[in-house]
Amino acid sequence: MRTTVGIIGAGPAGLLLARLLHRAGIASVVLESRDRAYVEQRQRAGILEQGTVDVLRAAGAGERMDREGLRHDGIELRFDRRRHRVDFPALTGGRSVTVYAQTEVCKDLIALQLKEGGPLLFEAEALAVEGAGSDRPRIPFRHQGREDVLECDYVVGCDGFWGVSRQAFPAGTSRVFERSYPYAWLGVLADVPPSHDELVYARHERGFALLSMRSPAVSRLYLQVPAGTDAGAWSDEEIWDELERRFETDDGWRLERGPLTQKSVTPMRSFVHEPMRHGRLFLAGDAAHIVPPTGAKGLNLAVGDVVTLARALVREKETGSPDLLDAYSATCLRRIWQAERFSYDMTTLLHRAPDATAFDVRLQRARLERIASSRAAETDLAEAYTGLPLG
């Protein structure tokens, strides 16, 4: 099998890249190790930055998002039983975010790829990336019990943290930067309308809590818990009681309860692999970087990567110039490190560290007070949350 761009992984990064390349007349093949049902059901991110929304619309993948997604013009910060709303459009010149689950983004892009795009092979496990330093890289893969090889001009690894793409970088050519956090998120889905019409980020002495949503009828909520927590160790009643404590305010706001349909624990880590290119192999999304979910950056960073790469591949096709391909890693990493900075700031601003001192607690309060009282500090948060320019 032969193509121009071999894409490993059918998450949002791989699928969007395939879509962008198709519209530019560049052939691709997408290899995904899981089956279609798994890809369309795995729960991940739910907040789309303004730039991500714009890209999906421009790619012809925004119709259902515009119909079913929930535009949010702000978030609410809670601390010391008080509420402070951050107004995004007023601080950013009109930008906002949209609540639309990653599962739905993947469904939309899969449908378009199968209808209009190049081959998308499910249950096709990439076994390695060979010859990345040559002008004819290869991807040996297993599909339907048979082994085959995909020959490409370029390989793009969108196969996540545990995929094979990053392993193809020769020893000594990479640097890894990472941080693990001593806490995690216990996340639940609840069949109950959200108790607030925008996301609520709460800092409490017992730990962080987040009120989010998947639709007008389904709430998504999170609790800070110790790293390694077993989700099954928490009863439904214990979860609701703890959420009530952490969201409590002095103005009579109430948290509505409902049946919990899913529980899971998400570990917290920061990770960056540099560079994001070796020869004709390019990394995108979680294969190259991971952020703690506090800043809602993971999916949006992946979109930034593939927009940058698609633009570079189109330029090479139209002009023969590799200049944007050569700049790919540096271009992406500038945006990635700003998102890492923001995600780290949000995480340390709102979570209670197990070893926090009285000084640390006072600093957190001072940082929150600064955001609540300074337009400049509020603007910095709003600009980063709604998204830095793509590419």
Side-chain angles (χ1 to χ4, degrees):
M1 184 180 289
R2 172 118 184 91
T3 192
T4 304
V5 181
I7 300 171
I8 306 175
L15 292 167
L16 179 58
L17 177 61
R19 179 66 181 171
L20 296 173
L21 295 179
H22 169 73
R23 289 170 72 88
I26 299 175
S28 71
V29 173
V30 182
L31 305 177
E32 168 55 50
S33 63
R34 303 283 192 162
D35 62 28
R36 180 177 179 178
Y38 179 90
V39 175
E40 293 185 339
Q41 292 171 9
R42 56 186 169 194
Q43 293 291 331
R44 293 292 189 274
I47 304 295
L48 307 184
E49 295 176 354
Q50 182 71 65
T52 297
V53 169
D54 294 342
V55 166
L56 290 171
R57 286 175 179 153
E63 181 180 350
R64 193 163 68 93
M65 174 191 68
D66 285 335
R67 186 172 65 250
E68 300 179 10
L70 307 174
R71 172 178 165 140
H72 281 198
D73 286 337
I75 58 172
E76 183 174 287
L77 300 176
R78 291 192 185 178
F79 59 102
D80 296 340
R81 301 171 63 93
R82 297 154 48 201
R83 306 165 65 178
H84 176 77
R85 182 175 184 266
V86 179
D87 185 332
F88 292 155
L91 296 163
T92 64
R95 297 212 306 271
S96 63
V97 298
T98 296
V99 176
Y100 191 63
Q102 177 175 312
T103 51
E104 307 310 308
V105 173
C106 287
K107 288 175 187 176
D108 297 341
L109 290 170
I110 286 170
L112 286 169
Q113 184 72 6
L114 294 176
K115 179 181 178 182
E116 303 174 8
L120 166 55
L121 305 182
F122 291 103
E123 299 181 86
E125 179 187 4
L127 303 176
V129 176
E130 298 175 350
S134 73
D135 60 359
R136 287 290 184 270
R138 298 156 36 97
I139 310 172
F141 68 98
R142 186 182 296 113
H143 183 231
Q144 296 180 339
R146 295 182 299 175
E147 293 197 2
D148 202 342
V149 175
L150 178 61
E151 298 182 341
C152 328
D153 293 332
Y154 303 99
V155 176
V156 184
C158 304
D159 49 347
F161 183 79
W162 301 107
V164 300
S165 300
R166 201 170 62 248
Q167 300 172 21
F169 279 64
T173 64
S174 304
R175 293 188 68 191
V176 169
F177 305 86
E178 59 187 327
R179 175 184 292 273
S180 295
Y181 297 85
Y183 35 74
W185 279 9
L186 170 61
V188 298
L189 279 175
D191 283 341
V192 61
S195 299
H196 194 61
D197 56 0
E198 294 177 337
L199 272 68
V200 177
Y201 288 78
R203 182 226 169 261
H204 191 275
E205 63 181 12
R206 297 174 63 89
F208 169 75
L210 172 62
L211 186 157
S212 183
M213 64 277 302
R214 284 293 177 261
S215 75
V218 178
S219 294
R220 183 74 162 151
L221 304 114
Y222 299 92
L223 284 170
Q224 176 188 340
V225 294
T229 292
D230 175 10
W234 285 70
S235 71
D236 292 7
E237 185 176 3
E238 288 172 329
I239 290 171
W240 283 118
D241 287 348
E242 190 62 27
L243 286 166
E244 278 195 351
R245 290 188 193 99
R246 299 189 192 183
F247 286 125
E248 196 170 28
T249 65
D250 284 333
D251 61 3
W253 180 90
R254 290 177 58 88
L255 178 67
E256 298 297 328
R257 300 189 179 204
L260 299 184
T261 60
Q262 184 186 98
K263 300 178 189 176
S264 62
V265 171
T266 301
M268 307 280 282
R269 66 181 312 193
S270 301
F271 171 87
V272 179
H273 178 279
E274 296 186 3
M276 294 170 60
R277 176 191 181 181
H278 168 62
R280 292 189 172 226
L281 167 63
F282 299 82
L283 302 180
D286 286 0
H289 45 76
I290 293 173
V291 289
T294 326
K297 292 293 152 213
L299 167 61
N300 297 292
L301 277 182
V303 169
D305 293 345
V306 299
V307 167
T308 301
L309 184 54
R311 186 180 299 136
L313 289 166
V314 170
R315 181 178 178 89
E316 194 274 341
K317 175 194 174 189
E318 294 180 346
T319 70
S321 172
D323 58 342
L324 294 186
L325 287 172
D326 292 341
Y328 169 74
S329 184
T331 300
C332 290
L333 285 167
R334 282 193 293 271
R335 190 171 191 272
I336 288 161
W337 276 111
Q338 287 301 317
E340 292 282 355
R341 185 273 307 174
F342 175 68
S343 299
Y344 174 82
D345 285 352
M346 287 286 283
T347 300
T348 57
L349 173 70
L350 296 164
H351 290 73
R352 176 71 180 247
D355 59 351
T357 65
F359 182 83
D360 298 326
V361 172
R362 289 288 191 177
L363 278 184
Q364 278 187 318
R365 288 178 178 170
R367 291 166 65 191
L368 284 161
E369 291 282 3
R370 173 68 175 168
I371 293 168
S373 62
S374 165
R375 186 177 179 86
E378 240 189 340
T379 299
D380 182 62
L381 189 158
E383 288 181 342
Y385 197 99
T386 56
L388 300 173
L390 296 178

